Amino acid sequence: MYIYEELSPKRLLIHLHGFASDLKSSKVRALRDYALERKSFSFFAMDMDYHTTTTSKTLGVLNALVRGFSHTYQQILLSGSSHGAYVILNYIKLYSPENIKGVFLFAPSYSTLQLTVAQEGTQKCERWLKGEEELKIVECETGISLTIHRDFAKDIMERGYEIILNGEVRFPQKPPADILIVHGTEDKIVPVEHSRIFAQKVKVKKYLELKDDHRLSNTFEKIVWQEGILEIFD
């Protein structure tokens, strides 16, 4: 399932939702509504189903989308929430696509694997980390039950996808695309300290901290509609 609104012949925004989210999320709705109203960019989003596959395969899908849409649009913007932002960070780090105009990261995860193991416990995750069995979790904020692919963790460890590992930022100081980061100070899923560490080590175009939760429930529509952050890369 996907959403595709052809509104601007010049620019396209591709959005990647979070790990325990889908196309029905408030962010997808707000981004789509903004695109339909302002028509300053076309909009694309699709169900990613991160937990049923691996990060490597997800990166392959994103690369195919960017390469395919590059034949139609001069510029592509990427936006991602939580784990979607994790995928985007790895994408611009490893693929360095030339026509990415800018990147929006909302409450980004930099250490999805470490955060999952910390939440679930090393003993519970032991066989999953080896790729021997799937991991069943209940997402702590939404209460959604998920079964994560048996090779999800192994893939991250073997490919080195964690952007922040044991406090070390593994990302170029001068990124190949401009980056905007928005993070809530009351985030209980991804500590805001991770974004602070990242922004200290990596040159970002703009970094915003807001008094809000992981989903930016109270501020997301305001920063999109009233503060116009989606136009920062004009």
Side-chain angles (χ1 to χ4, degrees), residues 1-4 15 17 21-25 28 32 44-49 61 65:
M1 184 177 178
Y2 65 90
I3 296 170
Y4 182 35
H15 178 72
H17 61 70
S21 188
D22 55 29
L23 295 184
K24 299 176 183 178
S25 75
V28 172
R32 183 188 188 187
F44 179 86
M46 65 182 291
D47 280 324
M48 301 305 295
D49 293 329
V61 170
L65 289 171

Side-chain angles (χ1 to χ4, degrees), residues 5-216:
E5 302 290 354
E6 296 182 85
L7 304 165
S8 167
K10 181 180 178 182
R11 295 194 302 170
L12 171 73
L13 174 66
I14 299 176
H15 178 72
L16 274 62
H17 61 70
F19 198 82
S21 188
D22 55 29
L23 295 184
K24 299 176 183 178
S25 75
S26 59
K27 289 190 187 69
V28 172
R29 183 178 65 252
L31 293 172
R32 183 188 188 187
D33 287 349
Y34 184 89
L36 288 168
E37 174 73 21
R38 301 298 174 87
K39 295 181 172 56
S40 56
F41 55 80
S42 294
F43 179 69
F44 179 86
M46 65 182 291
D47 280 324
M48 301 305 295
D49 293 329
Y50 305 109
H51 56 284
T52 65
T53 183
T54 64
T55 303
S56 293
K57 291 180 180 180
T58 301
L59 286 168
V61 170
L62 178 57
N63 187 49
L65 289 171
V66 170
R67 288 169 62 91
F69 279 125
S70 293
H71 293 293
T72 303
Y73 298 96
Q74 298 173 29
Q75 298 174 352
I76 292 179
L77 301 166
L78 300 177
S79 75
S81 176
S82 194
H83 184 72
Y86 177 95
V87 172
I88 288 172
L89 283 169
N90 275 288
Y91 181 66
I92 63 172
K93 172 186 175 181
L94 300 172
Y95 288 78
S96 299
E98 295 181 357
N99 63 331
I100 300 297
K101 176 68 174 178
V103 171
F104 302 96
L105 306 177
F106 303 112
S109 170
Y110 306 91
S111 313
T112 293
L113 181 57
Q114 282 194 319
L115 290 172
T116 302
V117 174
Q119 176 184 317
E120 300 299 320
T122 303
Q123 185 174 357
K124 178 180 177 180
C125 296
E126 186 175 359
R127 289 178 57 81
W128 177 63
L129 291 168
K130 296 177 182 178
E132 295 176 351
E133 66 181 23
E134 297 172 331
L135 177 69
K136 296 182 179 181
I137 69 169
V138 176
E139 209 275 340
C140 59
E141 188 173 70
T142 64
I144 296 173
S145 298
L146 297 173
T147 299
I148 308 178
H149 193 281
R150 61 188 299 164
D151 289 330
F152 183 87
K154 187 178 179 182
D155 176 62
I156 287 176
M157 291 187 292
E158 290 180 349
R159 302 295 183 95
Y161 289 136
E162 298 282 76
I163 298 297
I164 296 180
L165 184 64
N166 300 322
E168 177 189 357
V169 177
R170 307 193 301 175
F171 198 84
Q173 185 177 8
K174 295 182 179 180
D178 287 336
I179 296 175
L180 176 144
I181 299 172
V182 182
H183 210 132
T185 56
E186 299 176 355
D187 192 331
K188 296 180 180 179
I189 306 298
V190 180
V192 68
E193 286 79 14
H194 289 197
S195 279
R196 292 171 182 167
I197 292 170
F198 184 85
Q200 288 173 357
K201 299 291 185 179
V202 177
K203 182 180 179 181
V204 299
K205 186 173 181 67
K206 192 173 185 64
Y207 174 58
L208 292 175
E209 282 189 15
L210 304 172
K211 188 177 181 181
D212 209 341
D213 57 18
H214 182 63
R215 294 177 176 273
L216 300 172

